[in-house]
Amino acid sequence: MMLTKIDFIKNLAVFSDFSWKNSLGNSENFEKLNIIYGRNYSGKTTLSRIIRAFEIGKLSDKYKNPEFQISTDESYKLTQNIISNKQNFRVFNSDFINENLSFTHDENGKIEPFAILGEDNQRISKEIEKIKNELGKNLDEKTGLYKELEHKDKNNQESKAKLDEATNELDKALINKAKYLKETYKHFGLLNYDKKTLREDIKKVLETDFQPGEYDFEEKQKILTEETKEKIQKINIKFLLNKLSLKTEELVEKKFETSSKIQELVENSLLNNWVANGLHLHKERKICAFCGNEITDNRIRDLKNHFDKEKEEFDLDIKDIKEKIENEKNNISQIPNNLFYMKFYSNFQNKAKETINELKHRVRLYNEELEKLLSQIIEKENDVFHYNTFVKPSISIMQDIKDFVNIYNDLVDKSNMFGDNLEKEKENTKQELLFNRVYGIMLEIGYKEKSKNIEELENISKLKNKELEEIKNIINTKELELKEYKAKLNDEQKGAEKVNIYLSNFFSHTSLKLNAVEANSESKKFHFEIQRDGKKAFNLSEGECRLISFAYFVAKLNDVDTKDTKPIIWIDDPICSLDSNHIFFIYSLIYDEIVMKDIFSQLFISTHNLEFFKYLKRLNTKEKNNKKYFLVENKNSISNILIMPKYIKEYATEFNYLFHEIYKCSKIESPTDENYPSIYNFANNARKFMEIYLFYKYPIVVNQKKDSDERFKTFFGNDNLAIKFFCERITNEYSHLEVGGIERGNLPVDVKEFKECAQKILDAIKKKDEEQYDCLLKSIGVKETKS
């Protein structure tokens, strides 16, 4: 297994909401060898802790609601929910040191022992080699018993596949036929009919030697198509058409005395209705809401005489008759809507359906007559002062409806009577029909032949599975014997000696040694002890602790649980507190003992040290094009993983980095969350860059001492002392609070001042040494257009 990418990290230390897709894109992946650079506190150790959680099976509970997901080349996702599923990872970080070598920082602590294979017992070694030869190799190209296991497993799978194929074929046929019977012959009562019940019925057919009979299937089927139904209720209907017609006629032909009415309103129905609505709205008003004029008492009197009590009573009658007509429409319409022909037994359903449809049609005609009444009422309502001649509705439709109601009720009587004598021969007929169909299905799918073939394949599969289990037991026995033999050869002292070899050969530390001390002679348990010149060592320096810890880690890669397993190895910043020589020795130990011996499936190395990073660039595995560089960056206390910029990967010095920060500051127009770190750190960055740059440009030589002030004067020129003081103010006052006064720390930085200073530095370098300026730009991946 190899890790391909860290899909996301949320709520985990400095990684609040990291997304690989957003930061690196979908096309970038980890390779076999991965170099990670990042400054201190950028998040490198947090990444190693995520990986180590899968090595030890737990993550620190100090993280609240952490979420992360890691993709692998096996389409297997590692998340916070499956940490307990330990993986073949080996991680070196501060947590590894604290848990395994607590003595390095606590004199009451301890060093966990580990064992590697001893070399004393030749007989046991020969037995181990013999068992290994018998077992063979369990790789892509298998040998020995593993190859035989592969062969037996293949035969077992093939026989099982043939059995599954034959079984599935018969099962599929039975499922389809059971479904067919269930859906097609619902009158058999096969509500829960499935493959199992069809098998049982086939068995009954075979046991009883059933033979299909000759009879009229359709006639027998009719007996089974019916189920007892609830009694159907008759319908009773009363019509109000005559009564509504008389009342409508009275209202439509009503005449009003118009002599006391406002003639203009009498002659104009639209205006009359408009004024009627307006009068209702102006009951409490003295000013007309429409024209704004005063409404006189005379005008109010005239309007009230026009819209008198007779008119009000007429309006109420109109409203009442309209409601009654609508109610009659609704009541009559409900009658056929509540009738269902499916409630009848099948031999009455067609007639019932036809009758119900006729009733619906007649009810529509009846409602049309009611609509005629309603339209006349509305017409009269809209023009009350004109005489209308009433058109009477057709009342014959009521008799038509009554006739079909009688037909329907007659069908109800017949259907209810039919249902009283239904259940006599159903059960015998049902079984006879069902067995007849089951017998036909059995012939259609070739049940007997297929069952016999499946029985034969089952016997073969059992034999192949037995052979497989036998070889598995043999291999398990051999592997157990091998483990027991290896346990006899385990030697903690050899683990300590391995650490000492690294300390001596790689770090030239002959005085410090790791020794396996027997803690209990009866239990044969050991603990490791650091000794200096044969005595237990105390007061170790940070560098010594780091060297011993890393030598211990590399040696532990040869322990009995790790050797030959090719784990994923993650090494987090192994060179803290080490000088240049020891940095190189750490690199050499990684190169010789890990990379060249190819003991890993994937390797990750992180560092904050550019000198160590320079060495790491030399690392290469046997395969080509399988190395990738990454940058862990922290801005505003939020970390991100990025592809390493070219100027770091190819020109790995702090000098290039500082130049890049000055260049970025020269381009800033206004501060943002993204560029604020460049602004805030400008003073320190500029001071450090100028010290390095001017030291090498104007080195101190005998009889010609040049301090920083003199270098500034030489670089910027005596005619431009303002620039010198301007830059010196920023690079000294802003980067040293004791120079500019402690109150300077309470003031915001001046972005414009920094931008100008950065540009002056760049202009001076370009003027003094254009070739160096161009190379510095190239090192940070910038190409300026020359004017």
Side-chain angles (χ1 to χ4, degrees), residues 569-626:
I569 300 175
W570 191 295
I571 300 173
D572 176 46
D573 233 345
I575 47 79
C576 294
S577 305
L578 298 180
D579 59 28
S580 297
N581 286 336
H582 287 137
I583 289 174
F584 177 77
F585 292 147
I586 288 284
Y587 160 75
S588 299
L589 184 58
I590 293 173
Y591 178 78
D592 289 348
E593 295 298 304
I594 297 177
V595 176
M596 291 306 294
K597 291 184 179 180
D598 194 26
I599 63 172
F600 60 92
S601 63
Q602 196 171 17
L603 177 61
F604 296 81
I605 307 174
S606 68
T607 183
H608 75 286
N609 186 285
L610 288 171
E611 182 179 358
F612 183 54
F613 174 71
K614 178 181 66 177
Y615 291 129
L616 294 178
K617 288 167 59 179
R618 303 179 187 178
L619 292 179
N620 281 296
T621 60
K622 296 178 182 179
E623 302 87 354
K624 295 181 180 179
N625 301 321
N626 62 353

Side-chain angles (χ1 to χ4, degrees), residues 521-535:
S521 58
E522 293 182 0
S523 64
K524 301 296 182 182
K525 291 185 177 179
F526 292 82
H527 69 268
F528 280 178
E529 181 179 276
I530 300 176
Q531 297 182 349
R532 193 193 303 273
D533 298 325
K535 297 180 180 179

Side-chain angles (χ1 to χ4, degrees), residues 359-610:
L359 271 173
K360 288 181 178 179
H361 175 64
R362 294 317 189 274
V363 166
R364 284 195 296 270
L365 295 177
Y366 181 79
N367 283 338
E368 288 176 4
E369 297 304 317
L370 291 173
E371 280 291 337
K372 291 176 182 178
L373 295 181
L374 188 61
S375 63
Q376 292 184 75
I377 284 295
I378 294 172
E379 184 180 356
K380 181 66 175 178
E381 183 182 24
N382 291 332
D383 193 1
V384 295
F385 296 113
H386 286 80
Y387 177 76
N388 298 77
T389 301
F390 178 69
V391 179
K392 293 185 178 182
S394 174
I395 61 174
S396 62
I397 188 63
M398 290 187 292
Q399 186 58 48
D400 289 346
I401 294 175
K402 289 178 181 178
D403 291 342
F404 282 104
V405 167
N406 292 334
I407 295 172
Y408 177 85
N409 287 337
D410 184 56
L411 287 172
V412 169
D413 289 335
K414 291 178 180 179
S415 183
N416 288 339
M417 189 179 298
F418 177 83
D420 292 336
N421 301 296
L422 184 63
E423 300 296 327
K424 288 183 179 179
E425 297 184 7
K426 272 192 173 182
E427 289 304 316
N428 291 337
T429 304
K430 182 192 297 183
Q431 182 164 325
E432 185 178 1
L433 291 175
L434 176 60
F435 276 21
N436 190 70
R437 290 304 303 132
V438 168
Y439 185 87
I441 287 171
M442 189 176 66
L443 297 179
E444 289 173 15
I445 65 176
Y447 181 84
K448 289 183 178 180
E449 296 79 5
K450 284 184 170 61
S451 296
K452 183 177 180 181
N453 181 49
I454 289 173
E455 185 178 355
E456 292 173 354
L457 291 173
E458 281 179 342
N459 292 332
I460 295 173
S461 182
K462 288 178 182 178
L463 177 62
K464 297 299 180 183
N465 187 65
K466 181 181 178 182
E467 293 175 354
L468 176 63
E469 291 302 317
E470 287 175 353
I471 192 67
K472 280 183 177 179
N473 290 334
I474 292 172
I475 289 175
N476 288 338
T477 301
K478 294 290 182 183
E479 288 177 339
L480 183 60
E481 289 178 6
L482 183 63
K483 186 176 181 180
E484 290 175 350
Y485 277 126
K486 281 185 177 181
K488 294 178 182 178
L489 293 178
N490 285 352
D491 192 341
E492 284 82 356
Q493 185 61 44
K494 296 298 180 184
E497 289 176 4
K498 195 74 171 177
V499 176
N500 294 332
I501 289 173
Y502 294 154
L503 290 173
S504 176
N505 292 353
F506 286 90
F507 306 124
S508 301
H509 254 289
T510 56
S511 60
L512 282 178
K513 292 184 179 296
L514 197 65
N515 193 28
V517 179
E518 191 171 0
N520 188 320
S521 58
E522 293 182 0
S523 64
K524 301 296 182 182
K525 291 185 177 179
F526 292 82
H527 69 268
F528 280 178
E529 181 179 276
I530 300 176
Q531 297 182 349
R532 193 193 303 273
D533 298 325
K535 297 180 180 179
K536 187 174 182 179
F538 296 96
N539 302 318
L540 298 173
S541 69
E542 289 186 22
E544 288 174 329
C545 291
R546 202 69 176 185
L547 291 178
I548 294 171
S549 299
F550 192 67
Y552 174 93
F553 173 77
V554 177
K556 202 170 186 301
L557 295 177
N558 295 278
D559 68 11
V560 292
D561 294 324
T562 309
K563 189 174 178 60
D564 298 327
T565 64
K566 302 200 79 168
I568 291 177
I569 300 175
W570 191 295
I571 300 173
D572 176 46
D573 233 345
I575 47 79
C576 294
S577 305
L578 298 180
D579 59 28
S580 297
N581 286 336
H582 287 137
I583 289 174
F584 177 77
F585 292 147
I586 288 284
Y587 160 75
S588 299
L589 184 58
I590 293 173
Y591 178 78
D592 289 348
E593 295 298 304
I594 297 177
V595 176
M596 291 306 294
K597 291 184 179 180
D598 194 26
I599 63 172
F600 60 92
S601 63
Q602 196 171 17
L603 177 61
F604 296 81
I605 307 174
S606 68
T607 183
H608 75 286
N609 186 285
L610 288 171

Side-chain angles (χ1 to χ4, degrees), residues 96 98 214 233 322 692 717:
F96 171 87
N98 292 337
E214 295 182 3
Q233 299 299 317
K322 285 167 67 176
I692 297 170

Side-chain angles (χ1 to χ4, degrees), residues 722-749:
I723 299 176
K724 176 256 179 182
F725 289 118
F726 180 66
C727 294
E728 190 174 55
R729 175 178 175 233
I730 291 176
T731 56
N732 283 321
E733 182 179 329
Y734 278 94
S735 64
H736 298 91
L737 290 180
E738 70 272 13
V739 177
I742 198 67
E743 66 277 3
R744 165 52 64 190
N746 297 320
L747 299 177
V749 296

